[in-house]
Amino acid sequence: MKPTPCDISDGACIQLSTNQSWVLRGDKIVYGPAPITHGRKGFETPLGKFPVLRKVKDEWSRPYNAPMPWSTYFTHSGIAFHEGSLTDPSHGCIHLDPKAAQYYFQNLSIGETVQVVS
């Protein structure tokens, strides 16, 4: 049985319905499940497979005037993993607790796959 609902063997897997994410290496879970929050109604996190595009340690969201520590971007529209509230939905990003956000930032490489499933 596959350890996550994703079909990738390396990268990050996000399952929106359970508010969980994992980091995978060689089909094995190396981190997670990590609790997440994701996009609220009208700002849904997109489903699909995306490459890690860039990382910014001390990011600031200009549209929402809020800190985004440990940002790991995976869409061209600005969706990223970052440290954030695990109780309030986001504007599309994947919120992680501080430890998990730092782990994802330090362990996901540019070009690696992030898969988002419902």
Side-chain angles (χ1 to χ4, degrees):
M1 180 169 165
K2 186 94 171 111
T4 72
C6 295
D7 61 16
I8 61 170
S9 57
D10 290 288
C13 172
I14 302 163
Q15 186 172 35
L16 301 179
S17 63
T18 61
N19 290 313
Q20 293 178 305
S21 181
W22 302 262
V23 174
L24 305 167
R25 295 284 174 251
D27 234 6
K28 301 257 189 276
I29 296 170
V30 295
Y31 193 91
I36 65 159
T37 53
H38 54 83
R40 64 187 77 202
K41 188 170 176 60
F43 297 91
E44 288 83 2
T45 304
L47 302 178
K49 293 179 183 175
F50 309 92
V52 172
L53 299 170
R54 63 189 175 98
K55 304 192 288 187
V56 183
K57 183 179 174 189
D58 295 310
E59 185 68 295
W60 185 266
S61 170
R62 288 185 274 301
Y64 303 108
N65 195 30
M68 296 171 49
W70 306 108
S71 288
T72 302
Y73 287 92
F74 57 91
T75 75
H76 292 289
S77 62
I79 306 294
F81 288 107
H82 64 83
E83 182 181 326
S85 171
L86 292 179
T87 55
D88 296 328
S90 73
H91 290 93
C93 286
I94 300 298
H95 287 171
L96 296 162
D97 69 32
K99 180 181 172 189
Q102 186 173 351
Y103 183 92
Y104 280 52
F105 182 89
Q106 292 173 337
N107 290 279
L108 291 173
S109 300
I110 303 300
E112 261 193 292
T113 302
V114 174
Q115 184 175 4
V116 183
V117 299
S118 58

